[in-house]
Amino acid sequence: MSRVTDAVEALARPIVEEEGCSLWAVEYVREAGTWFLRVFIDKDGGVDIADCERISRRLDPVLDEADPIPDSYVFEVGSAGIERELKRPSDFEQFIGAEVELKFYQPINGRKSVVGKLMGYDNGDVTVGDVTYKKQQVAQVRLHLSI
């Protein structure tokens, strides 16, 4: 994690938790020449717009005062989403048994991705179904919603 996201996470976590939510992730990225600071939240039963608005209104002045980002940026608070990315070991532990989509850096057996049940996670290696994919092979893991 970068120093910016670490600093924002430390500022955001208490506010997010006081509002009855959990902090899923903090992202600081440049898109089309503009910097975006995104705080992703989660809650049992799902996050709604009112949760995002309350947290945004409380966190915005805290960020202005602490000033962890010297440049201008767009600030957003949103839901982690139903097809959220799994990154930390705790994310994988929480969703063992859930359906996920793995995207690979290079095709494996002619495929750039695979969908299946998350069966395990060990130091970056991800087991889907009965196949374990090495950390070096896996570019991204997201929850997958089958329609």
Side-chain angles (χ1 to χ4, degrees), residues 19-93:
E19 292 294 336
C21 297
S22 61
L23 181 63
W24 182 260
V26 174
E27 177 180 86
Y28 184 58
V29 295
R30 188 173 179 107
E31 296 175 357
T34 302
W35 283 98
F36 288 85
L37 174 64
R38 294 184 177 117
V39 173
F40 295 102
I41 59 175
D42 196 18
K43 179 174 83 173
D44 287 341
V47 170
D48 61 27
I49 191 74
D51 296 318
C52 297
E53 183 179 352
R54 272 193 330 275
I55 291 168
S56 177
R57 286 178 191 251
R58 287 195 56 200
L59 185 55
D60 191 43
V62 171
L63 291 170
D64 285 346
E65 184 177 320
D67 200 21
I69 304 169
D71 301 316
S72 64
Y73 59 91
V74 176
F75 175 53
E76 300 174 343
V77 175
S79 167
I82 201 158
E83 290 188 332
R84 68 192 63 185
E85 185 174 359
L86 306 182
K87 293 182 179 182
R88 302 168 298 225
S90 60
D91 299 345
F92 288 91
E93 291 168 16

Side-chain angles (χ1 to χ4, degrees), residues 65-146:
E65 184 177 320
D67 200 21
I69 304 169
D71 301 316
S72 64
Y73 59 91
V74 176
F75 175 53
E76 300 174 343
V77 175
S79 167
I82 201 158
E83 290 188 332
R84 68 192 63 185
E85 185 174 359
L86 306 182
K87 293 182 179 182
R88 302 168 298 225
S90 60
D91 299 345
F92 288 91
E93 291 168 16
Q94 180 180 351
F95 289 102
I96 293 288
E99 192 166 292
V100 295
E101 178 182 18
L102 273 72
K103 292 186 179 178
F104 306 121
Y105 289 112
Q106 299 291 322
I108 297 175
N109 298 326
R111 300 180 70 183
K112 289 187 166 193
S113 67
V114 66
V115 173
K117 186 183 276 191
L118 177 63
M119 302 304 290
Y121 177 83
D122 182 25
N123 199 30
D125 296 346
V126 181
T127 303
V128 173
D130 58 356
V131 179
T132 298
Y133 300 93
K134 295 293 183 189
K135 179 180 182 177
Q136 301 87 333
Q137 297 173 301
V138 179
Q140 183 181 67
V141 181
R142 287 190 173 278
L143 292 179
H144 182 77
L145 177 63
S146 293

